[in-house]
Amino acid sequence: MKVAKRRQAILELVLSNNGNVNVETLCSSLGVSEATVRRDLASLAEQGMIMRTYGGAAHIGKHAPEASLEERSSHSSLEKERIARAALAHVQDNDTVLLDGGTSTASLARLLRERTGLHVITNNLLALESLHELPQGRVTVLGGDLRPGSMATFGPAAMAMLERLSADKVFVSADGVVAGRGLCEASASQAYLKDLMIRQAAEVFVLADASKLGRDQQQYWTPLNTRWTLITTGSAEQLADFDNDPRVIQQRL
């Protein structure tokens, strides 16, 4: 097989395997050596066509423009309210809750006054107006750099503070949620902070309306390597890709 044709085949295999494939699978599918596959992957990565991962490669994303805060606030607002109400059912009195940035988690923040004694830790400045009325509760705001596009804090200061905290539950949103890959984001700072939030919580909940499922329009990723619950308005067909992952608990609304 010629080099150009083989590398095109690699790209097609990456895309057909939920955007992520390992070297062993590529060797078996193409009938070539590991050294050849690794050379091909290095070349494709240099061209910006894939992203190298430990033991393989991943689809790098389509670099779509990030929606504005106003667009995201108005999009699927009724779905987000349903998702927030379902998420609230997982919050108990006196929980310590981590709230990620985003409009879906801001919707959940508006409902948290229905619980007593919560400690809410968040980088979500949109949520603060709702959180000041928590009954017998308290709020910890993660410091750091402001990201105006999401009205949330990010960066080394936020991460350093979060490393010294832990939570019973974390509720995260994302630009996209892809089976086998994780959460898709527009910036590295978002992806890294979400990863730390997930590691600092005992239980993980991902809030995603139907438009987020399978969406891989950005190039930064937060892997989901732990047991997690997906709360979504997506269809059964959209959720089919998640069926074979024993770590995912599906809550379809």
Side-chain angles (χ1 to χ4, degrees), residues 1-16 26 30 40 44 47 49-50:
M1 183 183 294
K2 292 184 178 179
V3 174
K5 187 175 181 180
R6 186 177 65 242
R7 291 178 180 173
Q8 180 59 39
I10 289 174
L11 289 174
E12 292 172 359
L13 284 167
V14 171
L15 288 169
S16 65
L26 291 172
L30 300 173
D40 288 340
L44 290 169
Q47 297 173 58
M49 302 181 76
I50 62 165

Side-chain angles (χ1 to χ4, degrees), residues 96-100 120-123 140-144 153-167 169-170 172 189-201:
T96 296
V97 175
L98 257 172
L99 274 190
D100 180 27
V120 179
I121 304 166
T122 188
N123 68 326
T140 298
V141 182
L142 299 177
T153 58
F154 297 93
M159 295 183 72
M161 186 174 181
L162 185 55
E163 284 175 346
R164 290 162 174 78
L165 298 166
S166 61
K169 288 133 188 175
V170 62
V172 299
S189 60
Q190 289 172 289
Y192 286 130
L193 187 60
K194 287 179 197 293
D195 182 64
L196 183 55
M197 285 183 168
I198 288 166
R199 287 189 275 124
Q200 298 298 91

Side-chain angles (χ1 to χ4, degrees), residues 217-234:
Q217 300 296 302
Q218 305 296 346
Q219 64 176 326
Y220 300 99
W221 293 86
T222 301
L224 289 165
N225 297 320
T226 188
R227 189 173 177 84
W228 57 285
T229 298
L230 173 61
I231 304 177
T232 182
T233 52

Side-chain angles (χ1 to χ4, degrees), residues 13-22 25-26 51-59 178-182 221 223:
L13 284 167
V14 171
L15 288 169
S16 65
N17 283 273
N18 292 321
N20 205 333
V21 68
N22 60 39
T25 299
L26 291 172
M51 176 174 61
R52 292 299 305 273
T53 63
Y54 181 77
H59 177 41
V178 179
R181 296 200 63 191
W221 293 86

